[in-house]
Amino acid sequence: MPSEEEIYQDHILDHYEDPFHRGKLPTATHAHEDKNPLCGDVVRIELQLDRDGRVSDAYFSGDGCVISQASASMLLEALVGKTVDEVKEFSAEDMLKLYGARLTPNRQKCCLLSWRVVQQALYSPVGA
Amino acid sequence: MTASALLPESLRQDFPILAQHVHGDKPLVFLDNAASSQRPEAVIKAMVESYACDYANVHRGIHVLSERSTDAYELARSKVRAFLGAAYEHEIIFTSGTTAGINLVARSWGDANLRAGDEILLNLMEHHSNLVPWFQLAERTGAVVRHIPLTEDGRLDLYDLDEYLTPRTRIVAVTAVSNTLGTINPVRELARAAHDVGAVVLVDAAQSAPHLRTDVQELDVDFLALSGHKMCGPTGIGVLYGRAELLEAMPPMFGGGSMINRVYADRFTSADLPAKFEAGTPPIVGAIGLGAAIDYLEAIGLDRIHAHEQALVERAWEGLSQVEGIRLLGPRPELRAGLVSFVLDRPHAHDIAQLLDREGIAVRAGHHCTQPLHDHLGITASTRASFYLYNTVGEVDALIAAVRDVRDRFKPTGRKRRRA
């Protein structure tokens, strides 16, 4: 049984208080927004994909629990610079591993929210 | 707070589940009663005894067990009638819960009575179960949903009621107590105004019947729905009260056994009330458990239960309002029932609930099935502590201290992410 000490580890709280690329990306080429219907957490992710099929920039915005917001920050930090194919290959399991702390199934949904949004954003060109 | 308003802590011994520790050595502090309450030994015993000694199907067997079960089931109905102050036992329909009761009215009464352009008057503090069935009714009939506005502090704003409640209004559906704001609504006043324009009134009593005295004749309401599991009774049992002349005119909702008078090869005639709305084998033991719960609550007295919860909610309100970064939802304590919902500037409700749970404190986090209300308040989620007769001042103080600790832990400290 995971304790909250594991869930709220220091590096997670660091991402919560000092997130990577929280905000808007006016040059975004792709974007998607979704929510966790259980708790109402919302995450919007905006991606800039360049001609070589690389994620050249990414920003997130939203409102939710420590886990959903810190995991969005961690995910984007890890994904910027990667190719679209690499992002597609980045699995849910990889996301949980990146987060680090062990989560109960209910809280895994919080952690996987931004991962789901990124996967969908790859197929959601802006203005389409 | 007057100490005399409090119920004796010894009544906690009636509830076997409360005597446990969780997460190692933390005494369980159960503050999620608005979601579902716990049950006293007397209710559990009544249900076990029914299954162990007297159980058979009701209203059909010509044998001793069926007669005993039927008597116990109908005795439970008579206890509910007295509990609600209804005129007749046949106005008491056993359902599976509040949701089923509201849906029954929306389907049976609603489909028979509403036409395109008729209006259904709701408000944004309602639970999804007192919104969605009416949205569905509006979709089926072309009726229009309107809302009574809310005041800044989360009460119904009845100032311009004439504007919303008009001769086009066919039904007003309102909760007696908001499950999120705690607001006690002026049901009687609203019922009078509704009747003046010829509308009927349905009351969602899920959050009021367990905590406040209910008298359907004094309130002069047409329908009232409640759930057993929120008032020390079992899950899967609820009650729909309806005025006899309305229920008599309504078509049955479910077809099947018990609800018929006579079935022919190609048609049927309906049974009389209340059987008309109780198709199939009913929740027999659930009803018996609910009857035992009513006995338990009445022995203590609903007025004393309410006074006890008032004392707790005043203390909670006072203590929580001093936590930095907190926003308490709903009106001041004397206008509310025994629950408090709040948001902190940080962290999110789910994090609060998770950290309180580590201290053994069970609360609810999320939108509490009131998404439109949360949208209206500009928040996505809140944390709710809801009290019942077995909660103590010590538990309220533990809640306040734990919430303060959570806020302290998450207050901005100038943390920096390690840059790769």
Side-chain angles (χ1 to χ4, degrees), chain B residues 313-335:
Chain B
V313 82
E314 270 174 36
R315 192 176 180 96
W317 179 272
E318 177 71 21
L320 287 173
S321 62
Q322 285 162 32
V323 175
E324 206 181 331
I326 205 165
R327 174 181 169 195
L328 296 171
L329 309 180
R332 58 182 198 276
E334 60 271 30
L335 300 174

Side-chain angles (χ1 to χ4, degrees), chain B residues 15-20 28 38-39:
Chain B
F15 293 79
I17 203 170
L18 298 177
Q20 66 183 294
L28 173 68
Q38 301 298 347
R39 283 122 211 89

